Amino acid sequence: MKKEIKKVVLAYSGGLDTSIIIPWLKENYNNCEVIAVSGDVGQGAELDGLEEKAIKTGASKLYIEHLTDEFIKDYIYPTVKAGAIYEGEYLLGTSFARPLIAKRIVEIAKAEGADAICHGCTGKGNDQVRFELAIKAFAPDMQIIAPWRTWEFKSREEEIEYAEKKGIPLKINRETNYSKDKNIWHLSHEGLDLEDPSNEPTYNKPGFLEMSVSPEMAPDKPEYITISFEKGEAVAIDGVKMNPTQIVEKLNEVGGRNGIGLCDLVENRLVGMKSRGVYETPGGTILFRAHQVLETICLDRDTQHYKALIAQQYADLVYFGKWFTPLREALQAFVDKTQETVTGDVKFKLYKGNIINAGTTSPYSLYSEDFATFDADDVYDQSDSAGFINLYGLPIKVKALLDRERENKQGK
């Protein structure tokens, strides 16, 4: 039986949904205490004035938890090392931020003696699953309140009307009412004209892009950049050692001004429907590509091919909210083993949205010019390939001979 709810910890971003949730909770749960928690995962100016806003709209306090370093080190880098990209395009920017934020919210809820945790995720989206699976992993008995599944509002338009009625300040209006999620890794855009896949995104519309420029607006001169890795993790840019947060910030800066990392896709949500979104992931796109390129010379063929299968499974687990699961952890152990020799430098030429390979080196490279050359060499006897092909193709040859024999018999 559910106990009476007197104190609620709210996952608070200060956006439309969570802004109106505070007064809604107090109205519908007997004026309960609402403690707001914002996870700082690099969303920057979005946190400005958040405490004043949360208190003014009815929260008793606001925690702002600085999680960016942990986010990159323990969530982003492991995913990059896995090569995990959902449905071949989505770099999981929202997906792997949610488990971290939810884990910290649980810790605060326990410390505060809260009766419930509340989130502002819609009943159609993926984030409700990601938040709630993480909550179940660390507080299996905690009550969860998800207003979007029960409240009277049916649209963001109705939410805006409620906010205006309550005097809640919003940074959006009816014309710019995209559903957005921002962190140090990416910025997502959904809703409005993007709900129709036939509409081209308004990349050049002022205020639409925040982390990038459209490729047309990028410089006419290419820019070179070199990323250095140690055991699968980026450690330096252009020879300058940096910590993980500095790496991502620098790549965002360079990638953003060169129009890198714009992604427009229709993805398959966990709940079963298709959703169209536009993503800005400038630094992440460079980092994923650089890591992938380095692996091509550092991993043997069988490991590289098998790891591609693991990458797809890993991406699905992250997208579906299963970060804190035995399978994800087991896959990570495999991935970490493969990264022992993924050390070296990757050089790119960036030009108007394109990432162009400009040279790759590694002390563990498996590439041998002596064996691969088209010129004369003393290390490879090309006549050996004839015997290999005869054995390798034997099943195909035997089947063809037997098929021909059967056809001849049937023709008599």
Side-chain angles (χ1 to χ4, degrees):
M1 182 177 179
K2 293 185 177 181
K3 62 182 178 180
E4 182 183 358
I5 295 174
K6 297 180 180 179
K7 183 184 292 187
V8 179
V9 170
L10 168 66
Y12 183 74
S13 68
L16 175 58
D17 294 328
T18 58
S19 292
I20 68 171
I21 281 176
I22 294 176
W24 184 89
L25 282 171
K26 298 181 78 67
E27 288 176 0
N28 288 272
Y29 287 88
N30 198 28
N31 199 33
C32 63
E33 180 183 358
V34 179
I35 298 171
V37 178
S38 293
D40 177 6
V41 284
Q43 55 269 54
E46 290 185 7
L47 298 172
D48 294 346
L50 214 55
E51 181 175 13
E52 180 183 357
K53 180 178 179 179
I55 301 301
K56 185 177 180 180
T57 51
S60 62
K61 67 176 76 170
L62 170 69
Y63 287 86
I64 296 181
E65 300 298 293
H66 300 290
L67 305 172
T68 304
D69 291 341
E70 184 180 356
F71 178 39
I72 297 174
K73 182 177 181 294
D74 295 339
Y75 294 80
I76 291 178
Y77 270 22
T79 304
V80 172
K81 289 192 291 185
I85 302 174
Y86 184 67
E87 296 189 337
E89 291 192 81
Y90 175 45
L91 301 186
L92 298 167
T94 301
S95 307
F96 48 30
R98 297 304 187 236
L100 168 61
I101 295 170
K103 178 173 177 286
R104 185 64 187 124
I105 287 172
V106 168
E107 293 169 351
I108 291 173
K110 288 181 176 180
E112 287 281 356
D115 305 305
I117 290 174
C118 179
H119 63 75
C121 309
T122 73
K124 290 183 177 181
N126 301 305
D127 281 344
Q128 58 180 334
V129 181
R130 296 165 184 155
F131 268 114
E132 294 186 29
L133 292 191
I135 292 169
K136 292 178 187 299
F138 296 102
D141 297 323
M142 181 68 68
Q143 292 188 52
I144 298 173
I145 301 173
W148 258 107
R149 299 204 287 258
T150 61
W151 66 10
E152 63 273 25
F153 310 120
K154 303 302 180 185
S155 67
R156 289 174 67 82
E157 177 74 21
E158 292 182 5
E159 289 183 89
I160 292 175
E161 291 176 0
Y162 179 81
E164 291 172 345
K165 179 181 177 182
K166 294 292 183 179
I168 299 172
L170 300 173
K171 294 182 180 180
I172 61 172
N173 55 49
R174 287 168 174 78
E175 289 70 39
T176 61
N177 186 22
Y178 289 105
S179 176
K180 295 188 178 186
D181 179 78
K182 185 178 184 181
N183 57 46
I184 194 171
W185 188 247
H186 88 157
L187 173 63
S188 63
H189 309 255
E190 293 180 316
L192 297 182
D193 55 307
L194 298 178
E195 291 188 346
D196 183 350
S198 69
N199 289 331
E200 180 182 4
T202 54
Y203 291 135
N204 290 323
K205 182 179 180 180
F208 183 77
L209 296 179
E210 298 180 27
M211 298 178 71
S212 314
V213 299
S214 65
E216 298 96 322
M217 301 299 291
D220 294 329
K221 182 180 179 180
E223 181 172 359
Y224 286 87
I225 187 170
T226 299
I227 303 104
S228 300
F229 290 84
E230 292 179 4
K231 295 186 176 181
E233 297 187 357
V235 295
I237 296 177
D238 293 333
V240 180
K241 288 278 188 178
M242 299 180 183
N243 64 42
T245 300
Q246 292 170 328
I247 292 279
V248 175
E249 288 176 339
K250 180 64 175 179
L251 291 178
N252 278 339
E253 175 189 332
V254 176
R257 65 173 171 254
N258 285 285
I260 305 296
L262 296 179
C263 179
D264 175 8
L265 75 148
V266 174
E267 66 201 64
N268 289 294
R269 283 182 176 173
L270 170 58
V271 295
M273 69 190 67
K274 292 184 181 291
S275 172
R276 195 270 188 98
V278 169
Y279 299 94
E280 300 177 59
T281 321
T285 301
I286 296 172
L287 193 59
F288 258 104
R289 179 75 68 82
H291 179 266
Q292 181 185 49
V293 168
L294 184 58
E295 283 192 330
T296 65
I297 67 171
C298 295
L299 298 184
D300 64 278
R301 181 190 64 192
D302 288 350
T303 300
Q304 186 178 347
H305 287 188
Y306 191 75
K307 186 171 178 289
L309 301 177
I310 293 299
Q312 181 175 331
Q313 178 68 65
Y314 194 111
D316 286 352
L317 288 172
V318 176
Y319 188 87
F320 297 156
K322 295 183 177 181
W323 184 272
F324 301 113
T325 60
L327 179 55
R328 206 281 309 171
E329 293 171 357
L331 293 182
Q332 193 67 60
F334 167 81
V335 167
D336 289 344
K337 178 64 179 178
T338 69
Q339 300 301 290
E340 291 178 353
T341 60
V342 183
T343 295
D345 297 331
V346 179
K347 185 178 182 181
F348 285 146
K349 178 166 67 173
L350 309 179
Y351 183 65
K352 291 189 177 295
N354 295 288
I355 302 175
I356 303 165
N357 292 353
T360 308
T361 61
S362 170
Y364 301 101
S365 176
L366 299 177
Y367 181 88
S368 171
E369 189 174 349
D370 290 339
F371 279 90
T373 182
F374 283 93
D375 294 331
D377 66 83
D378 298 320
V379 296
Y380 184 85
D381 187 344
Q382 298 198 29
S383 65
D384 288 344
S385 63
F388 165 74
I389 294 171
N390 286 335
L391 291 176
Y392 189 67
L394 186 59
I396 297 173
K397 180 177 180 179
V398 169
K399 182 180 183 301
L401 290 171
L402 293 176
D403 285 347
R404 185 175 67 186
E405 184 178 333
R406 279 188 288 269
E407 291 172 0
N408 290 339
K409 286 180 180 181
Q410 291 172 358
K412 289 183 180 179

